[in-house]
mmCIF file of all heavy atoms in Angstrom:
data_model
loop_
_atom_site.group_PDB
_atom_site.id
_atom_site.type_symbol
_atom_site.label_atom_id
_atom_site.label_comp_id
_atom_site.label_asym_id
_atom_site.label_seq_id
_atom_site.Cartn_x
_atom_site.Cartn_y
_atom_site.Cartn_z
ATOM 1 N N GLU F 227 -46.181 -29.834 52.267
ATOM 2 C CA GLU F 227 -46.614 -28.430 52.043
ATOM 3 C C GLU F 227 -46.796 -28.161 50.604
ATOM 4 O O GLU F 227 -47.737 -27.445 50.239
ATOM 5 C CB GLU F 227 -45.641 -27.492 52.705
ATOM 6 C CG GLU F 227 -45.635 -27.452 54.215
ATOM 7 C CD GLU F 227 -44.464 -26.693 54.821
ATOM 8 O OE1 GLU F 227 -43.529 -26.443 54.113
ATOM 9 O OE2 GLU F 227 -44.603 -26.343 55.953
ATOM 10 N N VAL F 228 -45.827 -28.553 49.753
ATOM 11 C CA VAL F 228 -46.001 -28.342 48.300
ATOM 12 C C VAL F 228 -47.231 -29.012 47.788
ATOM 13 O O VAL F 228 -48.052 -28.433 47.057
ATOM 14 C CB VAL F 228 -44.725 -28.950 47.582
ATOM 15 C CG1 VAL F 228 -44.955 -28.866 46.038
ATOM 16 C CG2 VAL F 228 -43.541 -28.119 47.966
ATOM 17 N N LEU F 229 -47.489 -30.277 48.241
ATOM 18 C CA LEU F 229 -48.615 -31.062 47.720
ATOM 19 C C LEU F 229 -49.884 -30.332 48.169
ATOM 20 O O LEU F 229 -50.853 -30.210 47.406
ATOM 21 C CB LEU F 229 -48.536 -32.416 48.351
ATOM 22 C CG LEU F 229 -49.547 -33.477 47.801
ATOM 23 C CD1 LEU F 229 -49.321 -33.655 46.316
ATOM 24 C CD2 LEU F 229 -49.344 -34.771 48.445
ATOM 25 N N HIS F 230 -49.974 -29.868 49.373
ATOM 26 C CA HIS F 230 -51.223 -29.210 49.937
ATOM 27 C C HIS F 230 -51.423 -27.874 49.204
ATOM 28 O O HIS F 230 -52.544 -27.536 48.821
ATOM 29 C CB HIS F 230 -51.025 -28.936 51.425
ATOM 30 C CG HIS F 230 -52.277 -28.341 52.096
ATOM 31 N ND1 HIS F 230 -53.321 -29.077 52.286
ATOM 32 C CD2 HIS F 230 -52.581 -27.057 52.541
ATOM 33 C CE1 HIS F 230 -54.335 -28.314 52.790
ATOM 34 N NE2 HIS F 230 -53.780 -27.098 52.951
ATOM 35 N N ARG F 231 -50.313 -27.158 48.919
ATOM 36 C CA ARG F 231 -50.433 -25.867 48.171
ATOM 37 C C ARG F 231 -50.930 -26.125 46.827
ATOM 38 O O ARG F 231 -51.849 -25.426 46.281
ATOM 39 C CB ARG F 231 -49.084 -25.163 48.165
ATOM 40 C CG ARG F 231 -49.141 -23.876 47.366
ATOM 41 C CD ARG F 231 -47.762 -23.139 47.345
ATOM 42 N NE ARG F 231 -46.617 -23.962 47.125
ATOM 43 C CZ ARG F 231 -46.211 -24.397 45.903
ATOM 44 N NH1 ARG F 231 -46.937 -24.093 44.807
ATOM 45 N NH2 ARG F 231 -45.126 -25.159 45.788
ATOM 46 N N ARG F 232 -50.415 -27.160 46.122
ATOM 47 C CA ARG F 232 -50.924 -27.471 44.775
ATOM 48 C C ARG F 232 -52.388 -27.943 44.736
ATOM 49 O O ARG F 232 -53.141 -27.571 43.839
ATOM 50 C CB ARG F 232 -50.015 -28.611 44.189
ATOM 51 C CG ARG F 232 -48.596 -28.080 43.916
ATOM 52 C CD ARG F 232 -47.780 -29.150 43.194
ATOM 53 N NE ARG F 232 -48.361 -29.414 41.845
ATOM 54 C CZ ARG F 232 -48.037 -30.523 41.171
ATOM 55 N NH1 ARG F 232 -47.287 -31.396 41.639
ATOM 56 N NH2 ARG F 232 -48.613 -30.664 40.010
ATOM 57 N N LEU F 233 -52.859 -28.591 45.805
ATOM 58 C CA LEU F 233 -54.252 -28.953 45.870
ATOM 59 C C LEU F 233 -55.075 -27.685 46.044
ATOM 60 O O LEU F 233 -56.162 -27.499 45.418
ATOM 61 C CB LEU F 233 -54.520 -29.914 47.062
ATOM 62 C CG LEU F 233 -55.986 -30.301 47.333
ATOM 63 C CD1 LEU F 233 -56.527 -31.063 46.111
ATOM 64 C CD2 LEU F 233 -56.050 -31.042 48.584
ATOM 65 N N ALA F 234 -54.681 -26.867 47.006
ATOM 66 C CA ALA F 234 -55.406 -25.611 47.215
ATOM 67 C C ALA F 234 -55.506 -24.710 46.022
ATOM 68 O O ALA F 234 -56.498 -23.919 45.849
ATOM 69 C CB ALA F 234 -54.787 -24.855 48.391
ATOM 70 N N SER F 235 -54.439 -24.671 45.163
ATOM 71 C CA SER F 235 -54.509 -23.860 43.998
ATOM 72 C C SER F 235 -55.263 -24.411 42.800
ATOM 73 O O SER F 235 -55.430 -23.802 41.764
ATOM 74 C CB SER F 235 -53.017 -23.426 43.629
ATOM 75 O OG SER F 235 -52.323 -24.547 43.136
ATOM 76 N N GLY F 236 -55.574 -25.722 42.960
ATOM 77 C CA GLY F 236 -56.366 -26.366 41.892
ATOM 78 C C GLY F 236 -55.439 -27.016 40.810
ATOM 79 O O GLY F 236 -55.947 -27.415 39.799
ATOM 80 N N GLU F 237 -54.041 -27.109 41.133
ATOM 81 C CA GLU F 237 -53.203 -27.795 40.122
ATOM 82 C C GLU F 237 -53.434 -29.294 40.044
ATOM 83 O O GLU F 237 -53.155 -29.885 38.989
ATOM 84 C CB GLU F 237 -51.748 -27.478 40.489
ATOM 85 C CG GLU F 237 -51.307 -26.087 40.411
ATOM 86 C CD GLU F 237 -49.864 -25.950 40.705
ATOM 87 O OE1 GLU F 237 -48.963 -26.762 40.379
ATOM 88 O OE2 GLU F 237 -49.556 -24.959 41.459
ATOM 89 N N ILE F 238 -53.885 -29.830 41.144
ATOM 90 C CA ILE F 238 -54.083 -31.294 41.221
ATOM 91 C C ILE F 238 -55.378 -31.615 41.734
ATOM 92 O O ILE F 238 -56.038 -30.756 42.519
ATOM 93 C CB ILE F 238 -53.001 -32.100 42.012
ATOM 94 C CG1 ILE F 238 -53.002 -31.593 43.473
ATOM 95 C CG2 ILE F 238 -51.628 -31.947 41.333
ATOM 96 C CD1 ILE F 238 -51.993 -32.359 44.334
ATOM 97 N N THR F 239 -56.032 -32.690 41.431
ATOM 98 C CA THR F 239 -57.305 -33.127 41.946
ATOM 99 C C THR F 239 -57.183 -33.684 43.308
ATOM 100 O O THR F 239 -56.070 -34.196 43.736
ATOM 101 C CB THR F 239 -57.944 -34.120 40.991
ATOM 102 O OG1 THR F 239 -57.152 -35.303 41.010
ATOM 103 C CG2 THR F 239 -58.108 -33.578 39.607
ATOM 104 N N PRO F 240 -58.274 -33.894 44.136
ATOM 105 C CA PRO F 240 -58.192 -34.532 45.440
ATOM 106 C C PRO F 240 -57.747 -35.960 45.301
ATOM 107 O O PRO F 240 -57.033 -36.462 46.192
ATOM 108 C CB PRO F 240 -59.577 -34.423 45.891
ATOM 109 C CG PRO F 240 -60.223 -33.158 45.320
ATOM 110 C CD PRO F 240 -59.547 -33.167 43.916
ATOM 111 N N LYS F 241 -58.066 -36.611 44.225
ATOM 112 C CA LYS F 241 -57.650 -37.985 43.984
ATOM 113 C C LYS F 241 -56.067 -38.099 43.793
ATOM 114 O O LYS F 241 -55.398 -38.855 44.457
ATOM 115 C CB LYS F 241 -58.277 -38.622 42.717
ATOM 116 C CG LYS F 241 -57.925 -40.062 42.415
ATOM 117 C CD LYS F 241 -58.582 -40.565 41.219
ATOM 118 C CE LYS F 241 -57.962 -41.989 40.961
ATOM 119 N NZ LYS F 241 -58.361 -42.434 39.703
ATOM 120 N N ASP F 242 -55.570 -37.087 42.996
ATOM 121 C CA ASP F 242 -54.131 -37.031 42.825
ATOM 122 C C ASP F 242 -53.344 -36.703 44.145
ATOM 123 O O ASP F 242 -52.382 -37.266 44.414
ATOM 124 C CB ASP F 242 -53.734 -35.929 41.813
ATOM 125 C CG ASP F 242 -54.096 -36.270 40.396
ATOM 126 O OD1 ASP F 242 -54.172 -37.468 40.089
ATOM 127 O OD2 ASP F 242 -54.291 -35.349 39.575
ATOM 128 N N TYR F 243 -54.064 -35.797 44.890
ATOM 129 C CA TYR F 243 -53.486 -35.475 46.202
ATOM 130 C C TYR F 243 -53.330 -36.661 47.150
ATOM 131 O O TYR F 243 -52.306 -36.921 47.742
ATOM 132 C CB TYR F 243 -54.457 -34.413 46.888
ATOM 133 C CG TYR F 243 -54.033 -34.093 48.297
ATOM 134 C CD1 TYR F 243 -53.010 -33.154 48.561
ATOM 135 C CD2 TYR F 243 -54.707 -34.641 49.374
ATOM 136 C CE1 TYR F 243 -52.670 -32.897 49.932
ATOM 137 C CE2 TYR F 243 -54.339 -34.370 50.659
ATOM 138 C CZ TYR F 243 -53.340 -33.470 50.918
ATOM 139 O OH TYR F 243 -52.912 -33.159 52.195
ATOM 140 N N GLU F 244 -54.497 -37.486 47.178
ATOM 141 C CA GLU F 244 -54.394 -38.695 48.087
ATOM 142 C C GLU F 244 -53.328 -39.685 47.568
ATOM 143 O O GLU F 244 -52.662 -40.256 48.449
ATOM 144 C CB GLU F 244 -55.733 -39.294 48.141
ATOM 145 C CG GLU F 244 -56.883 -38.538 48.845
ATOM 146 C CD GLU F 244 -56.471 -38.226 50.316
ATOM 147 O OE1 GLU F 244 -55.848 -39.070 50.971
ATOM 148 O OE2 GLU F 244 -56.874 -37.111 50.803
ATOM 149 N N GLU F 245 -53.259 -39.857 46.292
ATOM 150 C CA GLU F 245 -52.237 -40.828 45.770
ATOM 151 C C GLU F 245 -50.873 -40.372 46.083
ATOM 152 O O GLU F 245 -49.953 -41.102 46.510
ATOM 153 C CB GLU F 245 -52.408 -40.939 44.268
ATOM 154 C CG GLU F 245 -53.687 -41.678 43.855
ATOM 155 C CD GLU F 245 -53.902 -41.647 42.288
ATOM 156 O OE1 GLU F 245 -53.083 -41.054 41.625
ATOM 157 O OE2 GLU F 245 -54.958 -42.256 41.867
ATOM 158 N N ARG F 246 -50.542 -39.048 45.873
ATOM 159 C CA ARG F 246 -49.193 -38.541 46.063
ATOM 160 C C ARG F 246 -48.897 -38.500 47.555
ATOM 161 O O ARG F 246 -47.716 -38.688 47.947
ATOM 162 C CB ARG F 246 -49.112 -37.215 45.391
ATOM 163 C CG ARG F 246 -49.207 -37.377 43.835
ATOM 164 C CD ARG F 246 -49.136 -36.042 43.206
ATOM 165 N NE ARG F 246 -49.356 -36.283 41.729
ATOM 166 C CZ ARG F 246 -49.263 -35.270 40.864
ATOM 167 N NH1 ARG F 246 -48.890 -34.107 41.134
ATOM 168 N NH2 ARG F 246 -49.461 -35.619 39.598
ATOM 169 N N LYS F 247 -49.925 -38.242 48.329
ATOM 170 C CA LYS F 247 -49.713 -38.182 49.832
ATOM 171 C C LYS F 247 -49.330 -39.498 50.287
ATOM 172 O O LYS F 247 -48.438 -39.659 51.162
ATOM 173 C CB LYS F 247 -50.901 -37.630 50.521
ATOM 174 C CG LYS F 247 -50.712 -37.407 52.013
ATOM 175 C CD LYS F 247 -51.996 -36.776 52.669
ATOM 176 C CE LYS F 247 -51.813 -36.521 54.071
ATOM 177 N NZ LYS F 247 -51.357 -37.610 54.845
ATOM 178 N N ALA F 248 -49.965 -40.554 49.812
ATOM 179 C CA ALA F 248 -49.649 -41.922 50.202
ATOM 180 C C ALA F 248 -48.242 -42.296 49.825
ATOM 181 O O ALA F 248 -47.479 -42.917 50.580
ATOM 182 C CB ALA F 248 -50.709 -42.865 49.537
ATOM 183 N N LEU F 249 -47.816 -41.856 48.643
ATOM 184 C CA LEU F 249 -46.397 -42.087 48.208
ATOM 185 C C LEU F 249 -45.414 -41.367 49.162
ATOM 186 O O LEU F 249 -44.423 -42.019 49.606
ATOM 187 C CB LEU F 249 -46.206 -41.630 46.842
ATOM 188 C CG LEU F 249 -46.822 -42.464 45.697
ATOM 189 C CD1 LEU F 249 -46.581 -41.809 44.351
ATOM 190 C CD2 LEU F 249 -46.183 -43.879 45.672
ATOM 191 N N ILE F 250 -45.706 -40.153 49.506
ATOM 192 C CA ILE F 250 -44.822 -39.326 50.386
ATOM 193 C C ILE F 250 -44.786 -40.030 51.719
ATOM 194 O O ILE F 250 -43.689 -40.163 52.359
ATOM 195 C CB ILE F 250 -45.277 -37.926 50.461
ATOM 196 C CG1 ILE F 250 -45.007 -37.200 49.103
ATOM 197 C CG2 ILE F 250 -44.508 -37.191 51.643
ATOM 198 C CD1 ILE F 250 -45.616 -35.848 49.037
ATOM 199 N N ASP F 251 -45.934 -40.361 52.247
ATOM 200 C CA ASP F 251 -45.935 -41.050 53.626
ATOM 201 C C ASP F 251 -45.298 -42.362 53.557
ATOM 202 O O ASP F 251 -44.604 -42.700 54.538
ATOM 203 C CB ASP F 251 -47.456 -41.158 54.014
ATOM 204 C CG ASP F 251 -48.098 -39.979 54.345
ATOM 205 O OD1 ASP F 251 -47.384 -38.902 54.559
ATOM 206 O OD2 ASP F 251 -49.366 -39.891 54.436
ATOM 207 N N ARG F 252 -45.484 -43.144 52.546
ATOM 208 C CA ARG F 252 -44.728 -44.404 52.418
ATOM 209 C C ARG F 252 -43.206 -44.268 52.384
ATOM 210 O O ARG F 252 -42.472 -44.939 53.087
ATOM 211 C CB ARG F 252 -45.130 -45.117 51.131
ATOM 212 C CG ARG F 252 -44.586 -46.560 51.054
ATOM 213 C CD ARG F 252 -44.800 -47.179 49.671
ATOM 214 N NE ARG F 252 -44.105 -46.347 48.751
ATOM 215 C CZ ARG F 252 -44.174 -46.396 47.380
ATOM 216 N NH1 ARG F 252 -45.095 -47.154 46.862
ATOM 217 N NH2 ARG F 252 -43.315 -45.756 46.634
ATOM 218 N N ASP F 253 -42.687 -43.243 51.694
ATOM 219 C CA ASP F 253 -41.316 -42.992 51.602
ATOM 220 C C ASP F 253 -40.829 -42.492 52.898
ATOM 221 O O ASP F 253 -39.621 -42.775 53.326
ATOM 222 C CB ASP F 253 -40.977 -41.983 50.532
ATOM 223 C CG ASP F 253 -41.202 -42.575 49.161
ATOM 224 O OD1 ASP F 253 -41.237 -43.774 48.960
ATOM 225 O OD2 ASP F 253 -41.263 -41.710 48.177
ATOM 226 N N ALA F 254 -41.582 -41.716 53.648
ATOM 227 C CA ALA F 254 -41.188 -41.250 54.955
ATOM 228 C C ALA F 254 -41.028 -42.362 55.990
ATOM 229 O O ALA F 254 -40.065 -42.375 56.806
ATOM 230 C CB ALA F 254 -42.151 -40.213 55.514
ATOM 231 N N VAL F 255 -41.941 -43.388 55.896
ATOM 232 C CA VAL F 255 -41.839 -44.546 56.805
ATOM 233 C C VAL F 255 -40.579 -45.424 56.426
ATOM 234 O O VAL F 255 -39.914 -45.811 57.363
ATOM 235 C CB VAL F 255 -43.149 -45.453 56.636
ATOM 236 C CG1 VAL F 255 -42.955 -46.724 57.378
ATOM 237 C CG2 VAL F 255 -44.275 -44.681 57.130
ATOM 238 N N ARG F 256 -40.258 -45.519 55.172
ATOM 239 C CA ARG F 256 -39.018 -46.267 54.813
ATOM 240 C C ARG F 256 -37.786 -45.636 55.347
ATOM 241 O O ARG F 256 -36.844 -46.272 55.664
ATOM 242 C CB ARG F 256 -38.939 -46.332 53.282
ATOM 243 C CG ARG F 256 -39.879 -47.378 52.646
ATOM 244 C CD ARG F 256 -39.596 -47.510 51.231
ATOM 245 N NE ARG F 256 -40.559 -48.418 50.561
ATOM 246 C CZ ARG F 256 -40.603 -48.548 49.242
ATOM 247 N NH1 ARG F 256 -39.813 -47.940 48.439
ATOM 248 N NH2 ARG F 256 -41.426 -49.439 48.836
ATOM 249 N N LYS F 257 -37.631 -44.284 55.223
ATOM 250 C CA LYS F 257 -36.465 -43.515 55.701
ATOM 251 C C LYS F 257 -36.365 -43.605 57.155
ATOM 252 O O LYS F 257 -35.223 -43.469 57.713
ATOM 253 C CB LYS F 257 -36.490 -42.074 55.229
ATOM 254 C CG LYS F 257 -36.351 -41.973 53.750
ATOM 255 C CD LYS F 257 -36.389 -40.497 53.312
ATOM 256 C CE LYS F 257 -36.238 -40.453 51.812
ATOM 257 N NZ LYS F 257 -36.332 -39.040 51.371
#
Side-chain angles (χ1 to χ4, degrees):
E227 291 171 337
V228 172
L229 192 58
H230 187 72
R231 179 178 44 81
R232 291 185 65 199
L233 176 65
S235 68
E237 291 181 45
I238 59 175
T239 65
K241 181 182 176 191
D242 290 336
Y243 173 82
E244 292 300 327
E245 291 172 359
R246 293 176 188 190
K247 185 176 183 308
L249 287 173
I250 291 171
D251 292 341
R252 185 190 69 193
D253 290 342
V255 170
R256 282 187 185 172
K257 290 182 182 179

